[in-house]
Amino acid sequence: MASTSRVTLAEIAAEAGVSLATMSKVLNGRADVAPATRLRLEEHLLRHGYTRRSATPRSELLELVFHELESSWSMEVIEGVEDVAHAAGLSVVLTVSGDRHAPAPDWIEGVLRRRPAGVVLVFSDIGGPHRDMLRSRGIPFAIVDPAGDPPPDVPSVGSANWSGGLMATRHLIELGHRRIAAITGPEDMMCSLARVDGYRSAMNAAGLPIDPAWIRFGDFHPLGGEARAREILALPDPPTAIFAGSDLQALGTIAAAREAGLSVPDDLSVVGYDDIALSRWMSPQLTTVHQPLKRMGEEATRLVLRMAEGEAPDTLRMDLATHLVVRGSTAPPPTR
């Protein structure tokens, strides 16, 4: 069934002091193995560089993992993954597990039992022991828009977040705005930090001051955007424009502006990020940074499928280009 170039699986089991049946249970993700025993056996497998050989036909399943499903954003990624997977004759299994940093601890046992052809994770990073388990079972994986900065050997597909923040802020500066705020995502996510760094770079390049109170970290959701915008608009000298780190945060920002009696864009300009379908149905239509969500799902799936076929990808790290889409939510600042 499987072997290494130096020792057999039976020899690894004997070295670890367990039966071959117990070793098989660990390899197959069975739950009826004590955690301490499982960890010890995984260490033995890793030390010997164990990798399962493909003695059975490839699974017809590709696993797509989210930590949460937000319909408008998630659907574009799902569509991209499904298009490529279906073209390769695979069905997609959707799993919701864990948080934005990693799937839940019990996820790894389930995926080892399911033995998909590959795994695409959205936002989450994946810990070293879990990466080793997947690799030892011959299950390739890739991360879409990773929460952190993954190691160089972890395949990932993201977008040019810094450039997106830069072009959004430059657009507002070119319209004449000088007091510009930024609401970004969680402070512990790489994409959040990159977008706000792009904002800072544009402001600094234009010689514009940045009030620390103008930068707020949120959660990429409408209610969080509304709460942060409400705080910004309550400042003694509020900004005339806000760059929101997601379209959903922009939606909340527009709600907060209306609550404060402000008109968008006459009194306050708003730029979002993502260019989800909803951005074209807002009132006014949202100026936003187009993030190629569907293509990110496509490219991550192609990476996984190439690795599943034994190919070495040309690159393990892809950052796809973003561009600005100008609509009705931005205008020159009001004259006061």
Side-chain angles (χ1 to χ4, degrees):
M1 177 181 66
S3 67
T4 71
S5 60
R6 298 184 180 181
V7 296
T8 67
L9 191 59
E11 287 171 331
I12 296 176
E15 177 189 287
V18 302
S19 67
L20 189 57
T22 299
M23 181 66 80
S24 179
K25 288 180 181 180
V26 170
L27 287 172
N28 293 322
R30 291 272 296 276
D32 53 340
V33 179
T37 301
R38 180 185 301 279
L39 179 61
R40 181 161 54 87
L41 296 185
E42 292 289 353
E43 290 172 349
H44 279 274
L45 291 167
L46 178 62
R47 185 165 64 251
H48 287 289
Y50 174 85
T51 302
R52 176 185 293 276
R53 286 181 181 169
S54 180
T56 57
R58 186 182 69 174
S59 167
E60 295 182 354
L61 300 177
L62 181 90
E63 184 147 349
L64 174 59
V65 185
F66 286 86
H67 75 280
E68 65 176 359
L69 284 177
E70 193 296 305
S71 59
S72 54
W73 193 95
S74 304
M75 283 306 300
E76 296 196 35
V77 177
I78 292 171
E79 184 179 351
V81 171
E82 286 189 330
D83 283 355
V84 175
H86 290 171
L90 301 178
S91 297
V92 176
V93 174
L94 182 62
T95 299
V96 179
S97 177
D99 56 27
R100 62 178 177 267
H101 298 293
D106 61 355
W107 170 78
I108 191 68
E109 294 183 1
V111 78
L112 294 181
R113 286 195 301 272
R114 291 186 289 274
R115 295 186 192 174
V119 177
V120 175
L121 302 105
V122 180
F123 269 166
S124 297
D125 290 329
I126 183 169
H130 287 180
R131 294 198 298 269
D132 294 334
M133 289 182 196
L134 292 175
R135 286 168 176 156
S136 73
R137 307 319 193 270
I139 302 175
F141 61 90
I143 302 173
V144 174
D145 211 6
D149 189 10
D153 63 341
V154 173
S156 65
V157 179
S159 71
N161 291 291
W162 181 86
S163 296
L166 181 80
M167 68 179 70
T169 310
R170 277 183 174 170
H171 169 66
L172 293 168
I173 292 171
E174 289 168 0
L175 287 173
H177 293 275
R178 296 297 176 262
R179 298 194 314 279
I180 303 169
I183 301 172
T184 191
E187 197 166 2
D188 58 358
M189 291 187 68
M190 184 172 64
C191 61
S192 304
L193 297 173
R195 291 171 198 178
V196 81
D197 282 348
Y199 154 84
R200 287 193 181 100
S201 295
M203 294 289 281
N204 290 335
L208 298 177
I210 302 174
D211 186 330
W214 291 350
I215 299 177
R216 306 283 170 136
F217 289 90
D219 57 7
F220 285 142
H221 295 301
L223 289 178
E226 183 177 9
R228 301 290 83 77
R230 192 179 291 124
E231 295 166 358
I232 291 171
L233 295 176
L235 294 171
D237 191 18
T240 60
I242 295 178
F243 163 49
S246 75
D247 290 346
L248 296 179
Q249 284 183 316
L251 180 62
T253 297
I254 292 173
R258 287 174 176 161
E259 180 185 88
L262 301 176
S263 171
V264 176
D266 295 335
D267 301 312
L268 179 73
S269 286
V270 178
V271 179
Y273 198 106
D274 287 330
D275 193 23
I276 59 176
L278 180 63
S279 65
R280 296 183 288 278
W281 296 98
M282 294 182 189
S283 180
Q285 291 185 324
L286 185 65
T287 294
T288 184
V289 176
H290 177 82
Q291 181 172 213
L293 297 170
K294 184 174 183 289
R295 190 179 163 216
M296 288 160 64
E298 292 171 347
E299 294 296 345
T301 307
R302 290 190 183 104
L303 265 177
V304 167
L305 295 183
R306 283 198 292 271
M307 290 185 289
E309 294 295 333
E311 297 181 25
D314 295 333
T315 178
L316 293 178
R317 189 75 172 261
M318 299 178 65
D319 286 317
L320 304 181
T322 54
H323 64 269
L324 187 70
V325 180
V326 179
R327 299 193 180 103
S329 66
T330 52
T335 55
R336 295 173 180 169

